[in-house]
Amino acid sequence: MTEKQVYLFEEGNASMVKLLGGKGGNLAEMTALGLPIPPGFTITTDACKSYYKQGGQLSGELQSEIRRAISTLEKVKDSRFGDANQPLMVSVRSGSVTSMPGMMDTILNLGLNDETVLGLARQTASESFAYDCYRRLIAMFGEIVLGIPSLLFSQQLENLKIHAGRESDGEITAGEWKQLTGVYQLLVKEHSGIDFPQDVYQQLNMAVRAVFRSWNNARAKVYRRLYSIPHDQGTAVNVQAMVFGNKGEDSGTGVLFTRNPSTGAKELYGEYLINAQGEDVVAGLRTPRRLAELREGMPEVYDHLAALASGLEAHYRDMQDIEFTIENRTLYLLQTRSGKRTAQAAVKIAVDLYEAGEITKEEAVCRIDAGHLDQLLHRSVAPLEELKPLAIGLPASPGGASGMIALDAETAEAWKQNGSRVMLVSAETSPEDIHGILAAEGVLTAQGGMTSHAAVVARGMGKPCVCGCDQLSIDAEERIIYLGDHILKEGDVLSIDGTSGRVYAGDVPLSDPEMTPELLKLLGLADEIRELKIYANADTPQDARISRELGAEGIGLCRTEHMFFTGTRLPTVQSMILADSREERLSLLERILPMQQSDFEDMFKAMNGLPMTIRLLDPPLHEFLPNLEQLGEQLRRLQLTGGGLEEQKRLKRMIAKIRSLQEKNPMLGLRGCRLGIQFPEIYDMQIEAVFRAAKTTAHNGIEVRPEIMIPLVGDPRELKELRALVDKVASEVLGEAFKSISYRVGTMIEVPRAAVMADKIAEHADFFSFGTNDLTQMTFGYSRDDAEGKFLNSYLDRNILSGNPFQMLDQEGVGKLIEWAVARGKEKKSFLKTGLCGEHGGDQSSIFFCQQTGLDYVSCSPYRIPYARMAAAQAVIAARDEAANKKAEAVILPIE
Ligand code: ADP
Ligand code: MG
Ligand code: MG
C-alpha cells in the first residue's frame, strides 16, 4: 500500500510539520483545540516530492484520496463541489515546512464556474458578491496556474472603473463584476490558449499542481538560499472550505501579531480591511486599518479575537502571527505561526517570556534567530532637531539607512554590484522584489501596511523599511519620485528611518547601536550555557575596547599589518620595503618599532589580562606599495613637464622595486612565514615590539598574555625556525621579566599540508588557530574573489555547492582537515589550545561545528561577538538535544 498522502485537519497536529507543512500542522492543531477553523485537509510534502518524481503529475491514488477528502468536506459544509445550487468553494494554499511568507502561491474561491456562481448568488442573495468572488478566482487562477501576468487583470479592472466612473471597488455593481468575469475569461483564452476550466475537479487538479510548482519559482529559491532552507523539503498543499470577508461592511479580513513585531511590546498588533478577501491585506494593494479600529466597529468580534490570540500565544508559548477573516460578524482563524520579528522584538519577547516563567533559559536562547542578532547592532538615525523629514510612512522595520534611489529590483541589484548603496523605492511591495530588497540598504514603498510581504521580508533580513508612505508617488517613465512637494531623481540619495517611519533627502547622520538591558540579560543567559570561548579579531586598540564591551574573552587574531597602513606610518613602511641594504632596512625598522610597540601597549591595556593573539606580518610586501599604473601615470606627467627630477628618480626606483616584487600568484607567493624566513629582521622587529610592550605594560601592574602566531606554516621546520626566533627575542627583551610573563607561540593552520602534518607541527606549537579563510581557499583551490565574482553563484544554482564555503564552513572537506588536525595535534600535545579565526567564526553553522569538534574558542569581528556568544550557547543546546534524541531512539527501537 502506498503511504497516506492526504490528512483531514482532524487527523493532524503541530508535531507533524515536516509532513503537513507549517500551515497544515498548525491548522490541524487549532482544529483539535476547537477553534473556529474552516474545515479542510492537507496534501503532504511527500506527495509534493512524488509529484516531482512523476514529472509533474498527480498519481491516481492521490487523486482519489483528494476526492474522498472533498466528499468529507461536502458533508461537513452541507454542499457539493461543482453543484449548481449548493456549491462548495475552497482555497488551495501552499504551506512549506519552514515559513516563507509570500514566496509561494494560494488560490481562493476555487469551485466557482459559470453555473455555480449563479448558485452562490442565489444562496447569498448577492449577485455582486458572487461575481466579485468569481473574478478573483479567474485572476488568481490565470496568474498562478497559467502564468498570465497579474497586471493584465488589474489593468482590465482599472479600465472598467474608469469607464463606469467608479472610484473604489466597493462601488462596482453586480452587472459590472459579471462583465469583468467575461473579460477575464477572454484574457485567459487569449494568453494561455485554453478556456478557463469549468470542471471544478480539473480546477483543483491544476491548482494543486501549480502550488507544487511554486516551490521552485524564482523568488522561493532566492528565499531558500538566503535562509539556508533545503531545496528538497517540498511544500504541502492545504485545501480548505472558503469563508468570505468580502460580504459587505460586516465582513473583513486581517492579520494580527500577539505582540508588537517591531519592538516586542506586549500588545495586540494588527491590521485589517473591511469587505476584502485574504490577499488584499498582505499584497499591499490597499493600506489597511489598524486593529484598534475594529474594537470600535465590531467590539464583540474584537474581544473574541483578542481572547483567541492570547490563548494561542499561551498554547504555543511564543508570539503568534495570526490570519483571520470575519464573515457577517462571525470570526474565523485561517493561520497561525510563530511571528517573524525584528531582533529587538525577538530579544524582548524571549526575555519577557523567560521572566514570566513561560519558557526556560535554553528556550529563551534558542528563540533568537542568531541571524537577527547582528541586526540589533545596526545603526539608527540620530535624533537631531534640525533634521526635517520630507515625508512620513509606516515604521515597518527599524534602523536607519541611506542609499541611491533605485526604482526597481533589477536596478537596485545592478547598482549594488557596482558597489553603490541603494534604496529600493517602489509603489507597492511584491515578493518578487526579493532580490532587490536583498541588494538594498533599505526599502520605501507608497502603499502596503506593516504586515505586507515586503515589510515582513525586510524585517526578516534586518533591513530598514518604511511602508505605506502616501506622500510618495512614482513616475516610472521619467524615473522620478515625488515626496510631497519635493521631486527627486532615480540615483539621488535618500534616507529612511524605519524606527519612526521618517524619510529624508540626502544622507543623514547615523548613530551607533546600544546594548539594551534585555539584550544584556539574554547574552548573560547564553554565557551561562556556552562552552566555547569567544575571542575577537581586533587590529587596533579601538577594536580591542569595543570587543571587550561586547563580551570578548580575548583577541584571537590581531593582524599586525593593519598597523602598517595608518596614514603617517605608511611612508616609513614603504621606505623600509624599498631599502637597498640590510642596514638601511634595519634603521627604518627601528623607526617602525616604537609605533607598533605603543599600539600593542594600548591593546594589552584594553585586554587587561586576557589572551591576545598577535599574528606576525602576513601579506606580500608589494601590497604596501602604491599601484603600479598610478605611479607610471605620475611619472609620465612629470616627464612631460620636465619637473621634479628627484621625484622622478624616486618614482622610477619604486616602479622597479614593485616590478621586482611582483609575483605570478601572490596568494601562493612570498608571504606569511616565508617572508619572515626570507627577511628575519621584519619579524624580529615585530616580536621585539610585542615583548617590549608586554614588559612595559606588566611593569605598570597590568597582566599580559601575549600569544605569537606564525602565519601560513606548511612545514614543521618553518615553525621550528621561527619559534626559535621568538624564544630568543623574548628572552633578550624580557630579561628579568622572562620568568613572570608567560607567552605562547603557535601557528595558524591555513595550508592543507599543515593540517595533514598536524602532529609534527604540534611539536613546536602551543596553539593552533584555524585560519579558515585561507584554508578554504587552498583546500578548494579557489581564490575567493575570483570564485565569488565568477562562478560561485552558478555552482550554487546547480547545487554543485550547497552553500558558499567562505560564509559557511565546508564541514565535509575543510572540516575534515580541521578534525584531523585537532585529533593529531592533541595526541601529540594534550594541552594544545585550538580555535578558529576567519569569517566563519561569526557564522552559526560553523560555530556549531567548532563546538562538535571540541575547539576551545572561536574568534570573529567585534560586532559579531554577541551573535557568536548566542550561537555558541545554541550549539551546546543542539548537541544536548541530539544526544537526548539518540538516547530516546535507543530506548524505543528494541520495543518495536
Ligand atoms: P500565504 O502563505 O501567502 O499567507 P495563505 O495560504 O495563507 O497564503 O493565503 C493567502 C490569504 O488568503 C490569507 O490572507 C488567507 O487568510 C486567505 N485565505 C486562505 N484560505 C482561505 C479560506 N479558506 N477562506 C478565506 N480566506 C482564506
Ligand atoms: Mg498566510
Ligand atoms: Mg591567512
Side-chain angles (χ1 to χ4, degrees), residues 171-316:
E171 297 166 21
I172 297 175
T173 64
E176 286 156 4
W177 282 133
K178 184 171 175 180
Q179 190 192 331
L180 192 65
T181 61
V183 174
Y184 278 9
Q185 294 202 24
L186 285 176
L187 222 158
V188 165
K189 176 84 185 177
E190 186 187 326
H191 280 268
S192 66
I194 65 159
D195 287 312
F196 173 76
Q198 294 293 317
D199 176 341
V200 294
Y201 277 102
Q202 192 186 344
Q203 286 179 7
L204 182 57
N205 184 304
M206 292 172 79
V208 170
R209 279 159 47 206
V211 172
F212 282 157
R213 253 194 336 262
S214 73
W215 174 253
N216 275 331
N217 70 29
R219 61 179 192 267
K221 282 190 184 167
V222 173
Y223 192 93
R224 287 203 290 275
R225 187 168 328 133
L226 190 62
Y227 291 100
S228 312
I229 299 169
H231 289 298
D232 58 7
Q233 230 173 36
T235 181
V237 181
N238 301 287
V239 178
Q240 184 174 27
M242 285 301 303
V243 288
F244 297 99
N246 54 335
K247 270 192 173 168
E249 298 305 304
D250 277 349
S251 302
T253 181
V255 181
L256 149 87
F257 291 85
T258 56
R259 297 187 188 224
N260 184 315
S262 283
T263 64
K266 193 171 179 202
E267 64 195 21
L268 284 194
Y269 183 90
E271 295 170 334
Y272 71 104
L273 284 169
I274 286 294
N275 196 13
Q277 255 196 335
E279 294 290 17
D280 297 355
V281 179
V282 290
L285 298 175
R286 279 158 69 186
T287 300
R289 301 189 194 176
R290 297 160 45 125
L291 196 66
E293 293 175 44
L294 184 66
R295 187 176 223 159
E296 278 135 47
M298 300 188 212
E300 68 299 340
V301 176
Y302 179 88
D303 290 344
H304 189 193
L305 185 59
L308 292 179
S310 83
L312 279 173
E313 185 180 286
H315 181 73
Y316 285 100

Side-chain angles (χ1 to χ4, degrees), residues 23 93 323 335 337:
K23 201 179 281 167
R93 318 172 64 185
E323 284 173 8
Q335 184 172 354
R337 59 184 169 206

